[in-house]
Amino acid sequence: MPVMTIEDLTDFLAREFPQVKNEFQIEEVRDMGLRVRLKVEERHLRPGGTVSGPTMFSLADVAVYLTILAQIGPKALAVTTNCSIDFMRKPAANTDLVADCTLLKLGRVLAIGDTLIRSDGMEAPVARATLTYSIPPER
Amino acid sequence: MPVMTIEDLTDFLAREFPQVKNEFQIEEVRDMGLRVRLKVEERHLRPGGTVSGPTMFSLADVAVYLTILAQIGPKALAVTTNCSIDFMRKPAANTDLVADCTLLKLGRVLAIGDTLIRSDGMEAPVARATLTYSIPPER
Amino acid sequence: MPVMTIEDLTDFLAREFPQVKNEFQIEEVRDMGLRVRLKVEERHLRPGGTVSGPTMFSLADVAVYLTILAQIGPKALAVTTNCSIDFMRKPAANTDLVADCTLLKLGRVLAIGDTLIRSDGMEAPVARATLTYSIPPER
Amino acid sequence: MPVMTIEDLTDFLAREFPQVKNEFQIEEVRDMGLRVRLKVEERHLRPGGTVSGPTMFSLADVAVYLTILAQIGPKALAVTTNCSIDFMRKPAANTDLVADCTLLKLGRVLAIGDTLIRSDGMEAPVARATLTYSIPPER
């Protein structure tokens, strides 16, 4: 079961990563899962009004990170060691992206999360990503 | 909707890949999805009685391949262009593996399928894989 | 052999992607390969002064994109379909990153590039990435 | 520097993995790298005489495994946690495959190896793979 609430996670993000605090909005925390929204702004866009690849990577990365923290608490600084990401469709123009993350493994040293990214309100995913985080030993 | 049944796919597999025909048993065909069982034999095992990595890769590969065929029919020879696979837990010893595949994209030239592999009867997945197939143009 | 020079590619980047034009500096174009530098600024950094994961993804993405363009010319809008990236070491603080890309395949519809990213002046890579680009048919 | 020779590794493979002992031939051990040959047999082939995807996965897997062992000795049972593999060209029919592995990271708990696979005597690679191994703590 999660040990951090939406509010806890939002405060943590604002404190530790002030540069992105208004970019991401956590919408749901559940057992081994989480949903987070990217509030799309001008700087996320490529010509044509669609969200850039690095922005989608960044959304997947934060989704898995927050899902891990929600389960283990804000005590450890997990780092991404691997990501595989597939870009499947062009996102809808000027539309928020919503990422749904599910943790497939939460081990002592490694955690693995799977994320589907959709344009808000659409069914077909625009991207999917799997990320591995390394969880450092407690000091 | 699928255009091939379990029986169609089983016949196709036996005819085109006779070397593996008794290895895989198709259990369910659904819209954009499929479940297939690997009937574990001695030659799939590593010391300790667990299924080897290449065998799990092979199961994920066949699961995505069959799911694509079920949707487009046996007319084209799709080839794997990319796979990312995570091994998350040791499979149960001497136990069949069951793969559940969902197609995330079925485009004109590329198809992408996501597969979860479990030891039969267990909830926690032992592996997950995403594969991209290239679909050759019709001749 | 490349059909675009460093100057051609730099002009193209400034014209098509004005938002990133001062971020990347192309240092070398060679047959099926290219080297590009990320000029690290405040906004690329995480707490501790190291470059963020999304920034490294972005560098790998642009490196492969430019390498493809250098070979085929500025005529087509290739899109990323897949990326696998491994983060291996913490980058040096406040130091530029340098990406070296090699194209492993330049087909009619798919191109695959491999990239090693290093902190400027260091030997051990901080990340590696492989990206697949889909090349749309000529109109 | 490697702590195991070609002969050491060959003996280890024959003892621990008797089922594959005649399949792989180690050709070179170097600092953080290794070359191993897959002696292609009937059972590795798909219709048309080309080597199957699972066989190439298996070759990449063993290449990285042996490269790690060569560096750290036969004391630990490393396990694959992740693989990304790209299949770029059809292998030459009825021809051995040769894998060249380079370790990009050899950490305390994770090792990452990059492998290029070629049909014997050809320059263009048929596949590339990156694998992560988890190295268990010493008992």
Side-chain angles (χ1 to χ4, degrees), chain D residues 65-109:
Chain D
Y65 184 71
L66 291 172
T67 310
I68 295 169
L69 283 195
Q71 296 293 127
I72 68 175
K75 58 192 164 186
L77 189 67
V79 293
T80 311
T81 60
N82 173 265
C83 172
S84 76
I85 184 165
D86 295 281
F87 299 100
M88 296 177 293
R89 288 170 190 85
K90 204 188 271 253
N94 304 302
T95 303
D96 283 358
L97 291 181
V98 177
D100 260 288
C101 174
T102 303
L103 284 192
L104 297 177
K105 175 180 176 142
L106 179 54
R108 209 172 37 79
V109 293

Side-chain angles (χ1 to χ4, degrees), chain C residues 25-42:
Chain C
Q25 182 179 313
I26 303 160
E27 298 198 332
E28 186 188 313
V29 176
R30 52 183 190 274
D31 191 26
M32 297 289 271
L34 182 143
R35 191 174 66 240
V36 55
R37 168 184 301 261
L38 173 80
K39 291 184 280 183
V40 169
E41 294 165 28
E42 194 57 31

